[in-house]
Amino acid sequence: MPHRTPVTLNFVEHGTGTPVLALHGWTPDHRLMLGCLEPVFAGRTGYRRLYPDLPGMGESPCPPEIASSDDVLAAVQDFVDDVLGDAPFLLVGESYGGYLARAIARSRPDQVRGLALVCPTGTAVENADRTVPQRQVLRPDPDLLASTDARTAAEFTDISVVQTPETLRRFREEILTGLDVADTTAMARIRQRWTLSEDPEDGAPFTRPTLILTGRQDHVTGYLDQFVLLPHYPRATFAVLDVAGHNLQIEQPGLFDALLGEWLDRVAADG
């Protein structure tokens, strides 16, 4: 199909077999999803994992023509057309990437064979409209923060519910690396038109195996706005993980891996 946007997305690819398209959230880059999913697929063969950088994030360009979430979505749709064509694939989206993933599932219901959402933006897109818990740190480590450079400590403290050397390491390697290279000018431009013109749930229910993971202490996207999505996803497992914030894959890795694995099993059982 012809390109709808002037952007070719940078991406990283691992494995062969059934395609799995993974979309990261707002500001980080593909390394967030790489860190999420590669441990899950370490013991599973037969999957081709595709990790693109969204426009203005990572190494993907964001020219002035990309000025809204509709334009970002169009760039991802181009990526699917160019890299996957009409082949069926699985779709995983985190935070803002979960918002885009739901829109892709709406537009390609026969092609998307399974949908997994990690701390997705829910029914309220704008931060001020979201129903979220108060920020809370359940497992603080003041000594760890004191031994960390001020900028990293501030970014980590702002998002973390569990403060350990391991969660800090993963935050540095999987999230902060993306924050450091984001095109802030381009993102500010897109942020002015952040809501998609078509509601991802404004259509027929998505009847393929679905997983919706949320954090009980997620003060960014919360968990209540996502619960409202359930009627649209009749095959959804919905989980609210305690001791988990917006980076629940880092703070509850065992549960994350188990629930993603169970979702993959459900998709495989459907054929």
Side-chain angles (χ1 to χ4, degrees), residues 215-233:
R216 187 66 175 82
Q217 289 80 33
D218 183 347
H219 68 286
V220 178
T221 56
Y223 58 91
L224 290 172
D225 294 337
Q226 294 81 355
F227 185 78
V228 182
L229 299 173
L230 283 178
H232 191 78
Y233 301 94

Side-chain angles (χ1 to χ4, degrees), residues 130-267:
R130 297 173 183 173
T131 304
V132 298
Q134 290 187 342
R135 184 181 169 279
Q136 187 177 14
V137 180
L138 294 182
R139 296 180 183 171
D141 189 336
D143 292 338
L144 177 67
L145 297 179
S147 64
T148 304
D149 68 273
R151 188 258 172 151
T152 300
E155 295 277 5
F156 181 60
T157 301
D158 186 58
I159 200 72
S160 61
V161 172
V162 177
Q163 297 174 353
T164 65
E166 177 61 9
T167 57
L168 176 58
R169 180 192 68 81
R170 291 191 62 181
F171 174 78
R172 272 190 172 124
E173 295 178 3
E174 300 170 19
I175 298 167
L176 190 60
T177 49
L179 302 184
D180 286 340
V181 298
D183 183 341
T184 55
T185 299
M187 298 186 72
R189 181 174 67 245
I190 296 166
R191 191 65 181 78
Q192 298 303 307
R193 298 168 62 195
W194 216 28
T195 301
L196 293 168
S197 58
E198 293 185 344
D199 187 328
E201 283 71 47
D202 185 15
F206 181 77
T207 58
R208 303 281 188 176
T210 302
L211 175 65
I212 304 173
L213 293 180
T214 63
R216 187 66 175 82
Q217 289 80 33
D218 183 347
H219 68 286
V220 178
T221 56
Y223 58 91
L224 290 172
D225 294 337
Q226 294 81 355
F227 185 78
V228 182
L229 299 173
L230 283 178
H232 191 78
Y233 301 94
R235 295 286 310 282
T237 290
F238 182 87
V240 185
L241 306 188
D242 187 30
V243 196
H246 196 57
N247 291 322
L248 68 79
Q249 76 280 2
I250 290 174
E251 296 174 331
Q252 287 284 10
L255 283 173
F256 178 83
D257 292 358
L259 289 164
L260 260 290
E262 190 277 337
W263 168 70
L264 289 170
D265 290 341
R266 282 191 287 135
V267 174

Side-chain angles (χ1 to χ4, degrees), residues 1-9 21 55 63-86 89 100 103-104 107-108 111 198:
M1 294 179 64
H3 272 270
R4 293 180 294 276
T5 62
V7 174
T8 298
L9 299 183
L21 175 60
E65 293 90 337
I66 304 298
S68 67
S69 286
D70 284 338
D71 297 331
V72 174
L73 176 61
V76 178
Q77 296 280 27
D78 281 344
F79 178 84
V80 174
D81 290 337
D82 293 344
V83 178
L84 298 176
D86 295 328
F89 64 96
L100 300 177
I104 293 170
S107 65
R108 300 173 183 260
Q111 193 174 3
E198 293 185 344

